[in-house]
Amino acid sequence: MTLIAATTVAAYAESDPPGNHWPAKPVRIIVPVAPGGSADKLTRTLADKLALLWGQSVLVENVPGASGTIGAAKVAKAAPDGYTLLQQGEGITLNSLLFAKLPYDSQKSFTPIIKAVVNPQILVVNPSTGLHTLNQYISRAKARSQSISLALPGNGGIAHVAHEILSQRTGAQVNYIPYSGGGPATLDVLGGHADATLITLAAVTEYVRAGKLRALAVTTPYRSDALPDVPTVAEAGVPGFAVESWQGYFAPSGTPQQVIEKINNDMRAVLQTPDVREQLEKLGFKVAGGSSKDLAQSLRVERPFYAKAINAAGLTLR
């Protein structure tokens, strides 16, 4: 290649941002929990629409284990080109506070893309427990410590932390049983192998509507439009209680900013399409959106809040 030709190619490359031709091949989204839960449902909904928009396959890969850290580690080690993304929520912060050592740096290994949705956690029980209200649940858990088995979607996740905050406020003590995701946890409550679960509302909306699970309360300061008859924890007898969870997407650190912005813009567009918005809201999600910088700021704000709750509960994971 001549010097002039080489100079021309280099100049063209500098003026042609990587986002302009992205994606040129299939994109993979790692969901770090088992199939069937809210994170899986959300990601598969978005993946179908993004595939049409991008003209490329968008593959959803479930990589459960170790409270989501195995899947996160896989993305942290991936090439920073936008072709391997991570679905995560507040768990990315919680794990950094709960684990003494991780195979990645939660604050440096990932670039935030978007906070896709926010949603309540919801406390549901198998109807055979005979529990109809949050007060009954708390009373039984106080009178007979550990008598209620609570299926957790993950060890040390937002449900675990939220219930620990509830325990601190009320004295209720339950028997925690951690699972590899919301799907398996829900199935065991449905089957009567566990009494209850505290879980992202979108994971169990259909079961509550069908009467297969009984909802006692949602953790947010507002009721969910998807299940408007379910009271908040604060309304049900624990004033001031409020925990809101969220789900979003990340790329490996070093991914070109133009690619991050394109994914953010396209995900926001998909989230705002009437059919996707209706589908997600029916499940119990609230569409969020915002920029990469907005998500980065949200991460900075939530860290001290969860650090305080975790320290007060004395929670640690290995």
Side-chain angles (χ1 to χ4, degrees), residues 298-316:
S298 178
L299 290 168
R300 287 190 289 269
V301 170
E302 74 178 17
R303 188 174 183 83
F305 171 79
Y306 287 123
K308 181 178 179 181
I310 287 169
N311 290 337
L315 291 177
T316 58

Side-chain angles (χ1 to χ4, degrees), residues 120-124 197-202 204 208 215-219 227 230:
Q121 296 289 300
I122 185 169
L123 180 62
V124 296
T197 183
L198 183 60
I199 194 168
T200 300
L201 186 142
V204 294
V208 172
L216 303 186
V218 294
T219 61
L227 295 172
V230 180

Side-chain angles (χ1 to χ4, degrees), residues 39-60:
D40 189 60
K41 292 177 181 178
L42 168 67
T43 302
R44 293 184 187 278
T45 298
L46 296 184
D48 289 343
K49 296 295 186 179
L50 290 170
L52 293 174
L53 182 63
W54 290 339
Q56 295 286 350
S57 298
V58 180
L59 310 173
V60 178

Side-chain angles (χ1 to χ4, degrees), residues 9-233:
V9 170
Y12 176 79
E14 289 177 2
S15 64
D16 193 38
N20 286 359
H21 300 288
W22 186 97
K25 61 181 182 179
V27 177
R28 182 174 54 157
I29 304 178
I30 303 297
V31 178
V33 294
S38 61
D40 189 60
K41 292 177 181 178
L42 168 67
T43 302
R44 293 184 187 278
T45 298
L46 296 184
D48 289 343
K49 296 295 186 179
L50 290 170
L52 293 174
L53 182 63
W54 290 339
Q56 295 286 350
S57 298
V58 180
L59 310 173
V60 178
E61 181 180 347
N62 297 87
V63 185
S67 299
T69 62
I70 294 175
K74 190 168 187 176
V75 176
K77 296 172 184 176
D81 53 15
Y83 290 101
T84 303
L85 308 177
L86 174 66
Q87 182 285 321
Q88 255 292 10
E90 60 286 316
I92 203 164
T93 296
L94 296 176
N95 285 337
S96 69
L97 296 169
L98 289 164
F99 284 90
K101 187 177 182 180
L102 290 171
Y104 54 84
D105 186 326
S106 293
Q107 298 181 77
K108 295 180 180 179
S109 297
F110 308 101
T111 297
I113 298 175
I114 189 171
K115 179 185 283 189
V117 296
V118 295
N119 37 261
Q121 296 289 300
I122 185 169
L123 180 62
V124 296
V125 298
N126 186 298
S128 66
T129 60
L131 298 169
H132 290 79
T133 68
L134 180 64
N135 277 334
Q136 290 177 348
Y137 175 91
I138 292 171
S139 295
R140 183 180 296 181
K142 290 174 69 176
R144 290 186 283 155
S145 179
Q146 310 289 317
S147 64
I148 296 175
S149 54
L150 184 75
L152 291 174
N155 197 16
I158 183 62
H160 193 171
V161 174
H163 200 284
E164 278 295 329
I165 296 173
L166 181 66
S167 294
Q168 291 167 25
R169 296 284 303 275
T170 65
Q173 297 297 321
V174 300
N175 178 26
Y176 292 123
I177 305 174
Y179 289 76
S180 61
T186 302
L187 287 175
D188 262 14
V189 179
L190 286 166
H193 305 298
D195 297 320
T197 183
L198 183 60
I199 194 168
T200 300
L201 186 142
V204 294
T205 311
E206 295 162 353
Y207 298 122
V208 172
R209 289 178 180 145
K212 295 180 179 179
L213 294 175
R214 180 177 296 137
L216 303 186
V218 294
T219 61
T220 44
Y222 55 83
R223 294 192 181 198
S224 170
D225 291 339
L227 295 172
D229 294 333
V230 180
T232 68
V233 172

